[in-house]
Amino acid sequence: MSLGPHAAYIIAAYGIAFAVIAALIAWVVADYRRQRRILADLERRGVARRSANIRPTPIEGTA
Amino acid sequence: MWGTFWVWDARLTSVLILLFLYLGYIALHDAFDDPARGARAASILCLVGSVNLPIIKFSVDWWNTLHQGSSVVRLDGPAIHPSILMPLLTMAVAFTLLLVTLHLAAMRNEVLRRRVRSLRLLQAQAAPGA
């Protein structure tokens, strides 16, 4: 397939678009993994949200 | 062919202003120590900046400049040949779906980031001497 006299511009435009989209996806995925890693580290050190420390109280007459 | 990389055309200029509004939004959002205050200031800028959207849409009708007039959303139907219109619409749908997906993933990351922030605050409060 001949891209004509503007082949360089067309190929460059596709290349830049692919690179930017790939970088965007990699950035979001890397950020997710980083936040998960930090959370796992904090939980390993015993830091938990207040809501995570609340134990459900048994309803009267059922326990 | 327009025969130029840049011209101070009404459509190009109004979209350039939109780019500056996006950059300003990001800068303003991160300019405060308190994230809630940053979010409030950024949301006000967002509301004010949305005035630019109809200006972008109708810029090609209001000003006679290098950019062609409306060619997709028209009362008498698209003025583009189907061989170009179909790929254009297909890619418009594809990019919309891609960016919605990335936005949802980024929102999930933001939820996790805020959880990390609150846990670190708890950790700091629980530290001896705090």
Side-chain angles (χ1 to χ4, degrees):
Chain A
M1 186 178 71
S2 171
L3 296 175
H6 305 293
Y9 292 101
I10 296 168
I11 292 166
Y14 270 92
I16 292 168
F18 272 114
V20 168
I21 291 166
L24 206 55
I25 293 169
W27 178 33
V28 170
V29 171
D31 189 28
Y32 176 73
R33 288 180 180 163
R34 182 168 173 271
Q35 299 305 325
R36 277 278 173 215
R37 201 166 52 240
I38 296 170
L39 270 177
D41 184 50
L42 283 167
E43 281 171 15
R44 204 166 38 246
R45 283 190 276 155
V47 186
R49 282 181 294 168
R50 288 190 190 97
S51 57
N53 294 329
I54 299 169
R55 298 278 176 273
T57 49
I59 299 166
E60 208 169 306
T62 60
Chain B
M1 295 294 291
W2 287 12
T4 178
F5 282 104
W6 180 260
V7 64
W8 291 102
D9 169 273
R11 170 61 64 84
L12 293 184
T13 307
S14 54
V15 172
L16 180 68
I17 292 168
L18 182 68
L19 172 69
F20 290 147
L21 280 168
Y22 279 139
L23 296 177
Y25 180 91
I26 296 166
L28 189 63
H29 191 275
D30 295 340
F32 294 84
D33 288 332
D34 180 6
R37 286 186 65 204
R40 179 182 289 263
S43 58
I44 292 169
L45 178 65
C46 179
L47 287 174
V48 174
S50 63
V51 171
N52 194 29
L53 296 179
I55 294 174
I56 291 173
K57 166 71 181 122
F58 295 109
S59 60
V60 291
D61 301 324
W62 293 340
W63 296 287
N64 183 21
T65 51
L66 188 60
H67 195 287
Q68 76 275 13
S70 296
S71 46
V72 179
V73 181
R74 291 160 53 106
L75 288 176
D76 56 347
I80 303 178
H81 192 273
S83 65
I84 299 176
L85 182 65
M86 288 316 292
L88 175 70
L89 295 180
T90 304
M91 293 313 292
V93 171
F95 267 93
T96 303
L97 291 175
L98 171 71
L99 293 175
V100 165
T101 307
L102 283 173
H103 188 71
L104 289 173
M107 281 172 70
R108 184 180 60 181
N109 291 352
E110 187 58 32
V111 170
L112 293 177
R113 199 184 333 277
R114 289 181 186 203
R115 197 177 291 169
V116 166
R117 186 172 184 273
S118 60
L119 284 180
R120 280 181 172 158
L121 282 172
L122 274 177
Q123 191 184 23
Q125 284 166 1

